[in-house]
Amino acid sequence: MPELPEVESVRRGLATLLVGKTVTAVHTNWEKVLVGGLDAFNQALTGQTVTAIDRRGKYLLIRFSNATTLISHLRMEGKYQVVAASEPMHRFVHVWFDLDDGAQLRYHDMRKFGRMQLVATGTEMQVGGLATIGPEPNPESFTVADFEAKLARHHKAIKSVLLDQSTVAGIGNIYADESLWRAQIHPETPADQLSHEEAVKLHDVVIDLLAQAITLGGTSVHTFVDATGKRGGFQNELKVYGRTGEPCERCGTAIQKIKVGQRGTHFCPHCQVRKD
DNA sequence: AGCTGCTCCTGGTCGC
DNA sequence: TGCGACCAGGAGCAGC
């Protein structure tokens, strides 16, 4: 599932494939993906040129020459590809954009969870999840002080607080589990019970982990590929996610899987000791 | 205000 | 073999 490193990989691919191209028509076979409906997309985008591809958290921001921004969230399974219009259409392609050079930008989403929304460029941070999104996971934006203040306001499981996009942008289920294993914190620990040392450790781990995952092109579990069709490399670095029953790399204890806030959660019961 | 639980989707897996 | 139950889950929302 695309989390920040995967969305960043998609952004980089789209930047090379799409900038400078002009949309000549938009099509869909599942209109719910297009917030506001297909007609609005055709009216806003036909004849417009892609000027840049940005990203905030897990949201892609496709910029057009008429000061329109297409906000795209891939959710669970969304993927983009740019191919010749003559290529056979896969059954899970739900939105496709004709381009002026005979290519098509295709949006593929088996579960139909992803959404696209149009806004005036500059107003995107007022819309939906972007209105409450937290800092990007880099040392300049994401400070220990703000993180600790957030933790102090919540008594629910630390994993749930990491998944809250207003804490820090871009963490999903995989990187939440991986961060907590690296910081040696039990995922059910109440957020307000973390020590200062644990909060600092977790903060630093989150920044380093996401940066490393971006460098490796993201994590390909299930079906993730970037816009150029490339798989990521971070799946080889996973220590707990998808490793239920396998020995912990640090201590050899079998990795356990539990539910935390309705999410499948992987951890080492020996290295990540619960406290409340 | 904080938190839980439900909804959207469908392919894959499992048990009978 | 066929079928139904259940699982995976990000974000938005209702409701307590």
PDB file of all heavy atoms in Angstrom, chain A residues 1-3 5-6 9 174-175 213 216-225 231-236 238 241:
ATOM      1  N   MET A   1       0.850  -1.195   0.000  1.00  0.00           N
ATOM      2  CA  MET A   1       0.000   0.000   0.000  1.00  0.00           C
ATOM      3  C   MET A   1       0.879   1.235   0.000  1.00  0.00           C
ATOM      4  O   MET A   1       1.860   1.296   0.734  1.00  0.00           O
ATOM      5  CB  MET A   1      -0.902   0.020   1.228  1.00  0.00           C
ATOM      6  CG  MET A   1      -0.115  -0.146   2.506  1.00  0.00           C
ATOM      7  SD  MET A   1      -0.687  -1.437   3.539  1.00  0.00           S
ATOM      8  CE  MET A   1      -0.335  -2.877   2.578  1.00  0.00           C
ATOM      9  N   PRO A   2       0.557   2.179  -0.831  1.00  0.00           N
ATOM     10  CA  PRO A   2       1.434   3.343  -0.939  1.00  0.00           C
ATOM     11  C   PRO A   2       1.412   4.205   0.319  1.00  0.00           C
ATOM     12  O   PRO A   2       0.373   4.716   0.724  1.00  0.00           O
ATOM     13  CB  PRO A   2       0.870   4.128  -2.124  1.00  0.00           C
ATOM     14  CG  PRO A   2      -0.126   3.251  -2.774  1.00  0.00           C
ATOM     15  CD  PRO A   2      -0.569   2.245  -1.766  1.00  0.00           C
ATOM     16  N   GLU A   3       2.572   4.344   0.946  1.00  0.00           N
ATOM     17  CA  GLU A   3       2.768   5.303   2.028  1.00  0.00           C
ATOM     18  C   GLU A   3       3.713   6.369   1.477  1.00  0.00           C
ATOM     19  O   GLU A   3       3.964   6.395   0.277  1.00  0.00           O
ATOM     20  CB  GLU A   3       3.321   4.581   3.266  1.00  0.00           C
ATOM     21  CG  GLU A   3       2.417   3.407   3.686  1.00  0.00           C
ATOM     22  CD  GLU A   3       2.916   2.611   4.877  1.00  0.00           C
ATOM     23  OE1 GLU A   3       3.598   3.192   5.728  1.00  0.00           O
ATOM     24  OE2 GLU A   3       2.620   1.409   4.946  1.00  0.00           O
ATOM     25  N   PRO A   5       6.968   7.011   1.160  1.00  0.00           N
ATOM     26  CA  PRO A   5       8.068   6.694   0.238  1.00  0.00           C
ATOM     27  C   PRO A   5       7.576   6.208  -1.122  1.00  0.00           C
ATOM     28  O   PRO A   5       8.187   6.506  -2.153  1.00  0.00           O
ATOM     29  CB  PRO A   5       8.851   5.604   0.981  1.00  0.00           C
ATOM     30  CG  PRO A   5       8.528   5.840   2.424  1.00  0.00           C
ATOM     31  CD  PRO A   5       7.081   6.256   2.424  1.00  0.00           C
ATOM     32  N   GLU A   6       6.464   5.463  -1.115  1.00  0.00           N
ATOM     33  CA  GLU A   6       5.927   4.968  -2.387  1.00  0.00           C
ATOM     34  C   GLU A   6       5.323   6.124  -3.187  1.00  0.00           C
ATOM     35  O   GLU A   6       5.511   6.208  -4.407  1.00  0.00           O
ATOM     36  CB  GLU A   6       4.861   3.892  -2.127  1.00  0.00           C
ATOM     37  CG  GLU A   6       5.412   2.600  -1.518  1.00  0.00           C
ATOM     38  CD  GLU A   6       5.800   2.738  -0.059  1.00  0.00           C
ATOM     39  OE1 GLU A   6       5.016   3.307   0.713  1.00  0.00           O
ATOM     40  OE2 GLU A   6       6.899   2.300   0.322  1.00  0.00           O
ATOM     41  N   SER A   9       8.017   8.014  -4.790  1.00  0.00           N
ATOM     42  CA  SER A   9       8.540   7.317  -5.972  1.00  0.00           C
ATOM     43  C   SER A   9       7.628   7.525  -7.174  1.00  0.00           C
ATOM     44  O   SER A   9       8.103   7.731  -8.297  1.00  0.00           O
ATOM     45  CB  SER A   9       8.693   5.821  -5.685  1.00  0.00           C
ATOM     46  OG  SER A   9       9.625   5.618  -4.641  1.00  0.00           O
ATOM     47  N   ILE A 174       2.685  -0.193   7.327  1.00  0.00           N
ATOM     48  CA  ILE A 174       4.005  -0.845   7.257  1.00  0.00           C
ATOM     49  C   ILE A 174       5.046  -0.052   8.041  1.00  0.00           C
ATOM     50  O   ILE A 174       5.727  -0.587   8.926  1.00  0.00           O
ATOM     51  CB  ILE A 174       4.465  -0.982   5.789  1.00  0.00           C
ATOM     52  CG1 ILE A 174       3.509  -1.906   5.029  1.00  0.00           C
ATOM     53  CG2 ILE A 174       5.894  -1.520   5.724  1.00  0.00           C
ATOM     54  CD1 ILE A 174       3.791  -2.005   3.536  1.00  0.00           C
ATOM     55  N   TYR A 175       5.157   1.245   7.754  1.00  0.00           N
ATOM     56  CA  TYR A 175       6.207   2.038   8.397  1.00  0.00           C
ATOM     57  C   TYR A 175       5.907   2.292   9.874  1.00  0.00           C
ATOM     58  O   TYR A 175       6.834   2.522  10.657  1.00  0.00           O
ATOM     59  CB  TYR A 175       6.459   3.334   7.618  1.00  0.00           C
ATOM     60  CG  TYR A 175       6.991   3.058   6.223  1.00  0.00           C
ATOM     61  CD1 TYR A 175       6.237   3.339   5.091  1.00  0.00           C
ATOM     62  CD2 TYR A 175       8.231   2.464   6.042  1.00  0.00           C
ATOM     63  CE1 TYR A 175       6.710   3.060   3.815  1.00  0.00           C
ATOM     64  CE2 TYR A 175       8.714   2.162   4.764  1.00  0.00           C
ATOM     65  CZ  TYR A 175       7.945   2.469   3.655  1.00  0.00           C
ATOM     66  OH  TYR A 175       8.411   2.177   2.400  1.00  0.00           O
ATOM     67  N   ALA A 213      13.694   4.508   3.014  1.00  0.00           N
ATOM     68  CA  ALA A 213      12.724   3.862   2.120  1.00  0.00           C
ATOM     69  C   ALA A 213      12.584   4.635   0.802  1.00  0.00           C
ATOM     70  O   ALA A 213      12.433   4.042  -0.260  1.00  0.00           O
ATOM     71  CB  ALA A 213      11.372   3.744   2.814  1.00  0.00           C
ATOM     72  N   LEU A 216      15.379   3.782  -1.452  1.00  0.00           N
ATOM     73  CA  LEU A 216      15.257   2.453  -2.063  1.00  0.00           C
ATOM     74  C   LEU A 216      14.046   2.350  -2.989  1.00  0.00           C
ATOM     75  O   LEU A 216      13.733   1.267  -3.478  1.00  0.00           O
ATOM     76  CB  LEU A 216      15.177   1.392  -0.969  1.00  0.00           C
ATOM     77  CG  LEU A 216      16.480   1.203  -0.177  1.00  0.00           C
ATOM     78  CD1 LEU A 216      16.285   0.199   0.948  1.00  0.00           C
ATOM     79  CD2 LEU A 216      17.614   0.750  -1.095  1.00  0.00           C
ATOM     80  N   GLY A 217      13.327   3.443  -3.197  1.00  0.00           N
ATOM     81  CA  GLY A 217      12.204   3.415  -4.127  1.00  0.00           C
ATOM     82  C   GLY A 217      10.922   2.873  -3.526  1.00  0.00           C
ATOM     83  O   GLY A 217      10.004   2.468  -4.242  1.00  0.00           O
ATOM     84  N   GLY A 218      10.842   2.861  -2.177  1.00  0.00           N
ATOM     85  CA  GLY A 218       9.623   2.414  -1.510  1.00  0.00           C
ATOM     86  C   GLY A 218       9.619   0.918  -1.255  1.00  0.00           C
ATOM     87  O   GLY A 218      10.617   0.219  -1.483  1.00  0.00           O
ATOM     88  N   THR A 219       8.484   0.429  -0.766  1.00  0.00           N
ATOM     89  CA  THR A 219       8.304  -0.971  -0.407  1.00  0.00           C
ATOM     90  C   THR A 219       7.292  -1.601  -1.346  1.00  0.00           C
ATOM     91  O   THR A 219       6.184  -1.097  -1.487  1.00  0.00           O
ATOM     92  CB  THR A 219       7.777  -1.080   1.041  1.00  0.00           C
ATOM     93  OG1 THR A 219       8.705  -0.467   1.931  1.00  0.00           O
ATOM     94  CG2 THR A 219       7.567  -2.531   1.442  1.00  0.00           C
ATOM     95  N   SER A 220       7.658  -2.706  -1.978  1.00  0.00           N
ATOM     96  CA  SER A 220       6.695  -3.425  -2.821  1.00  0.00           C
ATOM     97  C   SER A 220       6.235  -4.682  -2.116  1.00  0.00           C
ATOM     98  O   SER A 220       6.870  -5.727  -2.213  1.00  0.00           O
ATOM     99  CB  SER A 220       7.323  -3.764  -4.178  1.00  0.00           C
ATOM    100  OG  SER A 220       7.507  -2.596  -4.943  1.00  0.00           O
ATOM    101  N   VAL A 221       5.139  -4.554  -1.335  1.00  0.00           N
ATOM    102  CA  VAL A 221       4.411  -5.732  -0.912  1.00  0.00           C
ATOM    103  C   VAL A 221       3.104  -5.628  -1.680  1.00  0.00           C
ATOM    104  O   VAL A 221       2.787  -4.567  -2.175  1.00  0.00           O
ATOM    105  CB  VAL A 221       4.176  -5.766   0.619  1.00  0.00           C
ATOM    106  CG1 VAL A 221       5.474  -5.965   1.360  1.00  0.00           C
ATOM    107  CG2 VAL A 221       3.483  -4.512   1.084  1.00  0.00           C
ATOM    108  N   HIS A 222       2.348  -6.710  -1.785  1.00  0.00           N
ATOM    109  CA  HIS A 222       1.185  -6.690  -2.661  1.00  0.00           C
ATOM    110  C   HIS A 222       1.683  -6.297  -4.060  1.00  0.00           C
ATOM    111  O   HIS A 222       2.548  -6.965  -4.596  1.00  0.00           O
ATOM    112  CB  HIS A 222       0.088  -5.756  -2.138  1.00  0.00           C
ATOM    113  CG  HIS A 222      -0.212  -6.014  -0.691  1.00  0.00           C
ATOM    114  ND1 HIS A 222      -0.830  -7.149  -0.269  1.00  0.00           N
ATOM    115  CD2 HIS A 222       0.074  -5.305   0.421  1.00  0.00           C
ATOM    116  CE1 HIS A 222      -0.932  -7.141   1.057  1.00  0.00           C
ATOM    117  NE2 HIS A 222      -0.397  -6.033   1.494  1.00  0.00           N
ATOM    118  N   THR A 223       1.249  -5.167  -4.580  1.00  0.00           N
ATOM    119  CA  THR A 223       1.471  -4.939  -6.013  1.00  0.00           C
ATOM    120  C   THR A 223       2.119  -3.609  -6.337  1.00  0.00           C
ATOM    121  O   THR A 223       2.084  -3.190  -7.493  1.00  0.00           O
ATOM    122  CB  THR A 223       0.109  -4.989  -6.732  1.00  0.00           C
ATOM    123  OG1 THR A 223      -0.726  -3.944  -6.196  1.00  0.00           O
ATOM    124  CG2 THR A 223      -0.587  -6.314  -6.517  1.00  0.00           C
ATOM    125  N   PHE A 224       2.709  -2.929  -5.354  1.00  0.00           N
ATOM    126  CA  PHE A 224       3.183  -1.572  -5.634  1.00  0.00           C
ATOM    127  C   PHE A 224       4.269  -1.518  -6.725  1.00  0.00           C
ATOM    128  O   PHE A 224       5.255  -2.231  -6.680  1.00  0.00           O
ATOM    129  CB  PHE A 224       3.740  -0.895  -4.370  1.00  0.00           C
ATOM    130  CG  PHE A 224       4.413   0.415  -4.679  1.00  0.00           C
ATOM    131  CD1 PHE A 224       3.644   1.526  -4.984  1.00  0.00           C
ATOM    132  CD2 PHE A 224       5.788   0.509  -4.733  1.00  0.00           C
ATOM    133  CE1 PHE A 224       4.258   2.740  -5.319  1.00  0.00           C
ATOM    134  CE2 PHE A 224       6.415   1.716  -5.057  1.00  0.00           C
ATOM    135  CZ  PHE A 224       5.647   2.828  -5.353  1.00  0.00           C
ATOM    136  N   VAL A 225       4.043  -0.643  -7.707  1.00  0.00           N
ATOM    137  CA  VAL A 225       5.082  -0.229  -8.658  1.00  0.00           C
ATOM    138  C   VAL A 225       4.947   1.273  -8.849  1.00  0.00           C
ATOM    139  O   VAL A 225       3.870   1.839  -8.660  1.00  0.00           O
ATOM    140  CB  VAL A 225       4.964  -0.916 -10.042  1.00  0.00           C
ATOM    141  CG1 VAL A 225       5.330  -2.381  -9.955  1.00  0.00           C
ATOM    142  CG2 VAL A 225       3.568  -0.740 -10.636  1.00  0.00           C
ATOM    143  N   ARG A 231       9.501  -1.731  -9.259  1.00  0.00           N
ATOM    144  CA  ARG A 231       9.235  -2.103  -7.881  1.00  0.00           C
ATOM    145  C   ARG A 231      10.213  -1.396  -6.949  1.00  0.00           C
ATOM    146  O   ARG A 231      11.283  -0.980  -7.378  1.00  0.00           O
ATOM    147  CB  ARG A 231       9.397  -3.622  -7.704  1.00  0.00           C
ATOM    148  CG  ARG A 231       8.243  -4.429  -8.289  1.00  0.00           C
ATOM    149  CD  ARG A 231       8.582  -5.920  -8.379  1.00  0.00           C
ATOM    150  NE  ARG A 231       9.049  -6.482  -7.120  1.00  0.00           N
ATOM    151  CZ  ARG A 231       8.261  -6.869  -6.116  1.00  0.00           C
ATOM    152  NH1 ARG A 231       6.956  -6.733  -6.228  1.00  0.00           N
ATOM    153  NH2 ARG A 231       8.768  -7.397  -5.020  1.00  0.00           N
ATOM    154  N   GLY A 232       9.834  -1.288  -5.682  1.00  0.00           N
ATOM    155  CA  GLY A 232      10.734  -0.700  -4.691  1.00  0.00           C
ATOM    156  C   GLY A 232      11.730  -1.729  -4.192  1.00  0.00           C
ATOM    157  O   GLY A 232      11.746  -2.875  -4.641  1.00  0.00           O
ATOM    158  N   GLY A 233      12.576  -1.315  -3.232  1.00  0.00           N
ATOM    159  CA  GLY A 233      13.572  -2.213  -2.675  1.00  0.00           C
ATOM    160  C   GLY A 233      13.481  -2.372  -1.175  1.00  0.00           C
ATOM    161  O   GLY A 233      14.187  -3.184  -0.589  1.00  0.00           O
ATOM    162  N   PHE A 234      12.570  -1.607  -0.550  1.00  0.00           N
ATOM    163  CA  PHE A 234      12.557  -1.609   0.914  1.00  0.00           C
ATOM    164  C   PHE A 234      11.929  -2.873   1.497  1.00  0.00           C
ATOM    165  O   PHE A 234      12.122  -3.169   2.676  1.00  0.00           O
ATOM    166  CB  PHE A 234      11.863  -0.350   1.456  1.00  0.00           C
ATOM    167  CG  PHE A 234      12.152  -0.096   2.902  1.00  0.00           C
ATOM    168  CD1 PHE A 234      13.347   0.476   3.301  1.00  0.00           C
ATOM    169  CD2 PHE A 234      11.246  -0.471   3.886  1.00  0.00           C
ATOM    170  CE1 PHE A 234      13.634   0.685   4.639  1.00  0.00           C
ATOM    171  CE2 PHE A 234      11.525  -0.269   5.239  1.00  0.00           C
ATOM    172  CZ  PHE A 234      12.722   0.310   5.612  1.00  0.00           C
ATOM    173  N   GLN A 235      11.199  -3.643   0.691  1.00  0.00           N
ATOM    174  CA  GLN A 235      10.618  -4.884   1.216  1.00  0.00           C
ATOM    175  C   GLN A 235      11.715  -5.814   1.765  1.00  0.00           C
ATOM    176  O   GLN A 235      11.449  -6.637   2.635  1.00  0.00           O
ATOM    177  CB  GLN A 235       9.760  -5.609   0.167  1.00  0.00           C
ATOM    178  CG  GLN A 235      10.453  -6.033  -1.099  1.00  0.00           C
ATOM    179  CD  GLN A 235      10.583  -4.911  -2.102  1.00  0.00           C
ATOM    180  OE1 GLN A 235      10.280  -3.775  -1.807  1.00  0.00           O
ATOM    181  NE2 GLN A 235      11.037  -5.225  -3.299  1.00  0.00           N
ATOM    182  N   ASN A 236      12.936  -5.657   1.277  1.00  0.00           N
ATOM    183  CA  ASN A 236      14.047  -6.471   1.784  1.00  0.00           C
ATOM    184  C   ASN A 236      14.549  -5.989   3.143  1.00  0.00           C
ATOM    185  O   ASN A 236      15.366  -6.653   3.758  1.00  0.00           O
ATOM    186  CB  ASN A 236      15.196  -6.458   0.775  1.00  0.00           C
ATOM    187  CG  ASN A 236      14.755  -6.958  -0.594  1.00  0.00           C
ATOM    188  OD1 ASN A 236      14.035  -7.945  -0.693  1.00  0.00           O
ATOM    189  ND2 ASN A 236      15.144  -6.256  -1.647  1.00  0.00           N
ATOM    190  N   LEU A 238      12.353  -5.026   5.622  1.00  0.00           N
ATOM    191  CA  LEU A 238      11.287  -5.148   6.616  1.00  0.00           C
ATOM    192  C   LEU A 238      11.702  -6.123   7.720  1.00  0.00           C
ATOM    193  O   LEU A 238      12.184  -7.220   7.436  1.00  0.00           O
ATOM    194  CB  LEU A 238       9.991  -5.627   5.961  1.00  0.00           C
ATOM    195  CG  LEU A 238       9.409  -4.691   4.904  1.00  0.00           C
ATOM    196  CD1 LEU A 238       8.151  -5.310   4.289  1.00  0.00           C
ATOM    197  CD2 LEU A 238       9.097  -3.316   5.486  1.00  0.00           C
ATOM    198  N   TYR A 241       6.932  -6.389   9.521  1.00  0.00           N
ATOM    199  CA  TYR A 241       5.726  -6.407   8.692  1.00  0.00           C
ATOM    200  C   TYR A 241       5.736  -7.645   7.794  1.00  0.00           C
ATOM    201  O   TYR A 241       6.684  -7.887   7.046  1.00  0.00           O
ATOM    202  CB  TYR A 241       5.617  -5.136   7.838  1.00  0.00           C
ATOM    203  CG  TYR A 241       4.300  -5.083   7.106  1.00  0.00           C
ATOM    204  CD1 TYR A 241       3.173  -4.548   7.710  1.00  0.00           C
ATOM    205  CD2 TYR A 241       4.179  -5.625   5.831  1.00  0.00           C
ATOM    206  CE1 TYR A 241       1.953  -4.557   7.071  1.00  0.00           C
ATOM    207  CE2 TYR A 241       2.954  -5.625   5.184  1.00  0.00           C
ATOM    208  CZ  TYR A 241       1.854  -5.090   5.803  1.00  0.00           C
ATOM    209  OH  TYR A 241       0.642  -5.103   5.169  1.00  0.00           O
TER     210      TYR A 241
END
